[in-house]
Amino acid sequence: MTSPFNRKSKASKDEDNSEITIQDVSKEAQSLIDKVIGDVGKTSATQQLILGTASGWLTGYLMMKVGKVAAVAVGGGIILLQIANHKGYVKVNWDRIYKNVEEQVDKIEATSSKKPKILDKVEKYVDRKLDKAETLLKKKERKAKMWFNKMTNNEDDIVFHEIHVFMASFFAGIAMGIVFGRIL
């Protein structure tokens, strides 16, 4: 006779047999990010500004602190390897390293000459966005004036339907976090 505590239901047995794949985790993370970003985009400009700045500052600050720890770990590891090599504990085949590096440099040069450079892509992207913004501003001048009047008359709390305020304040917060990470 089995105890009710030792029995597993069929559903729980199926759950134990199912495997979690990278794609499942990726889809779940993407849906969570979309939900959070969508919720932030529906809040007022003030809330977006505060949340964006705070989260950006935290991200920048942690980036600096984790970056320093990573740099010390990598640098310390390289120094320890050099000491071990100098003392004879480790033998480095420099000819093989030079050969591998030259092969990788050749591969990088071959692929980089075929593809446009990242700065060219960024420039084209920024140009397209600026053109789009200019066109939008010209077409929506009346709406912009109404928006400005609402803002200066302190009517209802203005709700942005897009996430631009959050993103701008997030990047400003990252810059502040990096500065504070360097200072502290």
Side-chain angles (χ1 to χ4, degrees), residues 136-148:
L136 183 67
L137 284 174
K138 285 179 182 177
K139 288 180 179 178
K140 304 294 183 176
E141 185 177 354
R142 182 171 177 241
K143 286 186 179 180
K145 286 180 182 178
M146 288 173 44
W147 176 76
F148 180 74

Side-chain angles (χ1 to χ4, degrees), residues 145-156 158:
K145 286 180 182 178
M146 288 173 44
W147 176 76
F148 180 74
N149 289 336
K150 280 184 183 179
M151 190 176 215
T152 55
N153 290 337
N154 293 326
E155 290 182 7
D156 296 344
I158 298 170

Side-chain angles (χ1 to χ4, degrees), residues 2 11 16 29 32 45 72 74 83 101-102 140 153 159 170-171 183:
T2 60
D16 291 342
L32 178 66
V72 168
V74 169
I83 291 171
V101 167
E102 287 176 4
K140 304 294 183 176
N153 290 337
V159 177
F170 179 77
F171 289 119
I183 293 171

Side-chain angles (χ1 to χ4, degrees), residues 32-51:
L32 178 66
I33 289 170
D34 289 342
K35 183 179 184 287
V36 169
I37 298 270
D39 290 345
V40 170
K42 294 175 185 173
T43 61
S44 70
T46 307
Q47 289 173 333
Q48 288 184 32
L49 188 65
I50 291 169
L51 184 61

Side-chain angles (χ1 to χ4, degrees), residues 30-143:
Q30 183 65 36
S31 68
L32 178 66
I33 289 170
D34 289 342
K35 183 179 184 287
V36 169
I37 298 270
D39 290 345
V40 170
K42 294 175 185 173
T43 61
S44 70
T46 307
Q47 289 173 333
Q48 288 184 32
L49 188 65
I50 291 169
L51 184 61
T53 304
S55 60
W57 182 87
L58 183 65
T59 301
Y61 183 78
L62 289 177
M63 245 178 12
M64 287 303 295
K65 293 303 176 183
V66 170
K68 286 179 184 178
V69 170
V72 168
V74 169
I78 290 171
I79 290 171
L80 287 176
L81 280 174
Q82 285 293 349
I83 291 171
N85 181 35
H86 184 67
K87 296 287 185 178
Y89 294 117
V90 177
K91 179 69 176 160
V92 178
N93 186 349
W94 290 107
D95 293 331
R96 186 173 176 189
I97 290 174
Y98 289 135
K99 182 180 173 187
N100 287 341
V101 167
E102 287 176 4
E103 288 174 3
Q104 295 304 317
V105 167
D106 291 340
K107 286 181 185 178
I108 291 171
E109 286 176 351
T111 58
S112 67
S113 64
K114 294 177 185 174
K115 296 181 180 177
K117 295 182 180 177
I118 188 72
L119 290 177
D120 294 336
K121 288 182 179 180
V122 169
E123 182 181 4
K124 287 179 184 178
Y125 177 78
V126 169
D127 284 342
R128 282 194 317 261
K129 292 298 179 181
L130 286 174
D131 290 342
K132 186 177 178 180
E134 183 180 9
T135 304
L136 183 67
L137 284 174
K138 285 179 182 177
K139 288 180 179 178
K140 304 294 183 176
E141 185 177 354
R142 182 171 177 241
K143 286 186 179 180

